[in-house]
């Protein structure tokens, strides 16, 4: 059955449809014009933006947790980074091990005198263990370990490396002070030197102490005689003397002395001289005087 609408009802319907379909202008109702948009309903299984952000945030939190756990594990294994220097005092050196345990794998040995940089310390098995980061060999060369590990600190002592101070060389210039010029003039001398006549020397000449030489020439009337047979000795002097003495020397060392006689102090003789038997008997004449120095010749006589 058809229902006929009146003209009045159609007019009201047109007004309502035009009201809801028309856009409000700026200034009407006191608000700006909203942007048009299509409201889409998400398909089945699709994620909304809020869900995507929540999923990304969850993944980031998991990553942060993993990194925190890794850092914690590494700090537990290697210890806190508190670098301390130790020096190996064990004569045979000390072993470096994979973990802080005397039964763990040995990685090497640090020689006596090596200097170790320890960054962490742990106590295990009754010992203190140090985690070695780097070292200085006993020979003096610095090195980094290929495999880092732990050493028992009972074989080491804390060590403070000597500080190296740079030498500063200072060059000092030598300054030679010049002497100040003298301004004082020497005072003029007003006193004239006195001239004195030289006095004659008062020293008397000393007498000469050298005695004149008196030469004595000795000879015999024969140089070969028989025992008990007398012979004569002659002597002449170059100066007048008071006495002449004969000295007769035998080869065995015996000595005889005879005095010569003179009438004038120049010619001297000894008559009737007898000598015992002997070969090469040496005779010497000496002039004795306080004022002369005598020189004489020897005469050799053989008595058979």
């Amino acid at each position: 059955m058809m229902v006929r609408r009146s003209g009045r009802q159609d007019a009201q319907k047109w007004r309502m449809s035009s009201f809801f379909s028309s856009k409000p202008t700026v200034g009407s109702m006191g608000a700006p014009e909203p942007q048009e948009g299509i409201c889409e309903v998400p398909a089945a299984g699709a994620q909304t933006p809020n869900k995507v952000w929540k999923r990304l945030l969850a993944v980031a939190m998991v990553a942060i947790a993993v990194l925190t756990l890794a850092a914690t594990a590494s700090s537990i294994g290697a210890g806190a980074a508190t670098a301390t220097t130790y020096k190996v005092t064990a004569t045979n050196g000390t072993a470096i091990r994979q973990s802080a345990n005397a039964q763990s794998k040995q990685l090497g040995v640090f020689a006596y005198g090596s200097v170790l940089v320890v960054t962490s310390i742990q106590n295990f098995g009754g010992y203190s263990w140090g985690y070695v980061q780097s070292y200085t060999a006993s020979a003096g060369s610095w090195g980094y370990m290929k495999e880092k590990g732990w050493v028992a600190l009972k074989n080491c002592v804390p060590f403070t490396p000597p500080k190296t101070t740079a030498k500063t060389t200072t060059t000092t210039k030598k300054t030679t002070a010049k002497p100040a010029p003298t301004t004082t003039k020497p005072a003029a001398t007003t006193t004239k030197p006195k001239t004195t006549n030289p006095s004659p020397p008062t020293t008397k000449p000393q007498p000469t102490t050298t005695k004149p030489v008196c030469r004595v020439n000795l000879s015999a009337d024969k140089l070969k005689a028989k025992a008990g047979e007398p012979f004569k000795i002659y002597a002449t002097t170059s100066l007048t003397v008071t006495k002449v003495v004969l000295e007769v020397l035998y080869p065995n060392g015996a000595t005889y002395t005879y005095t010569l006689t003179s009438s004038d102090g120049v010619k001297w003789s000894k008559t009737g001289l007898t000598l015992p038997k002997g070969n090469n008997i040496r005779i010497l004449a000496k002039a004795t005087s306080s004022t002369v120095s005598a020189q004489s010749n020897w005469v050799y006589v053989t008595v058979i």
Side-chain angles (χ1 to χ4, degrees):
M1 182 179 65
M2 300 277 305
V3 179
R4 181 177 289 182
R5 297 178 180 175
S6 63
R8 187 177 180 178
Q9 290 178 346
D10 291 336
Q12 291 177 353
K13 183 178 179 180
W14 178 83
R15 290 190 196 100
M16 292 294 292
S17 62
S18 63
F19 176 79
F20 285 103
S21 61
S22 63
K23 298 179 181 180
T25 59
V26 177
S28 65
M29 299 179 67
E33 181 180 0
Q35 294 181 356
E36 294 183 354
I38 301 175
C39 181
E40 297 181 353
V41 178
Q47 295 182 355
T48 62
N50 290 337
K51 289 183 179 181
V52 172
W53 283 108
K54 288 180 180 180
R55 184 175 292 276
L56 291 175
L57 182 60
V59 171
M61 292 178 67
V62 170
I64 293 172
V66 170
L67 293 175
T68 304
L69 290 175
T72 305
S74 63
S75 63
I76 292 173
T82 55
T84 307
T85 307
Y86 286 83
K87 189 173 184 179
V88 178
T89 56
T91 305
N92 298 327
T94 183
I96 177 170
R97 298 189 178 276
Q98 194 171 21
S99 60
N101 189 347
Q103 281 72 38
S104 64
K105 180 182 177 181
Q106 180 175 333
L107 304 177
V109 176
F110 287 117
Y112 170 82
S114 300
V115 178
L116 314 177
V117 178
V118 175
T119 57
S120 179
I121 296 176
Q122 290 185 5
N123 295 324
F124 184 81
Y127 299 105
S128 294
W129 298 83
Y131 185 76
V132 181
Q133 181 69 23
S134 60
Y135 73 98
T136 304
S138 58
S141 61
W142 181 266
Y144 290 89
M145 303 149 46
K146 294 181 180 179
E147 295 185 58
K148 297 180 176 59
W150 298 80
V151 296
L153 296 181
K154 69 171 185 175
N155 299 325
C156 310
V157 293
F159 176 73
T160 302
K163 294 181 181 179
T164 57
T165 57
K167 295 182 178 179
T168 58
T169 57
T170 58
T171 58
T172 57
K173 294 182 179 180
K174 294 182 179 179
T175 58
T176 56
K178 296 182 178 179
T182 57
T183 57
T184 57
K185 296 181 179 180
T189 58
T190 56
T191 57
K192 295 181 179 180
K194 296 179 180 180
T195 57
T196 57
N197 295 325
S199 58
T202 57
T203 57
K204 296 180 180 180
Q206 299 293 329
T208 57
T209 57
T210 56
K211 298 178 181 181
V213 177
C214 178
R215 301 182 185 280
V216 180
N217 296 321
L218 183 63
S219 61
D221 59 351
K222 50 185 177 181
L223 299 179
K224 189 173 182 181
K226 293 182 179 181
E229 180 180 347
F231 62 95
K232 190 175 182 178
I233 293 292
Y234 301 97
T236 57
T237 60
S238 59
L239 298 175
T240 302
V241 294
T242 58
K243 189 176 181 181
V244 173
V245 177
L246 289 180
E247 287 186 358
V248 182
L249 180 63
Y250 280 83
N252 59 1
T255 303
Y256 295 91
T257 304
Y258 301 94
T259 301
L260 276 67
T261 59
S262 175
S263 59
D264 54 6
V266 175
K267 296 180 180 178
W268 300 81
S269 63
K270 175 65 176 175
T271 304
L273 181 62
T274 58
L275 299 176
K277 185 184 295 187
N279 294 325
N280 293 328
I281 300 172
R282 189 169 59 177
I283 302 173
L284 175 65
K286 285 184 177 183
T288 61
S289 173
S290 60
T291 59
V292 296
S293 175
Q295 290 184 357
S296 177
N297 61 307
W298 291 92
V299 173
Y300 294 89
V301 177
T302 301
V303 179
I304 56 176

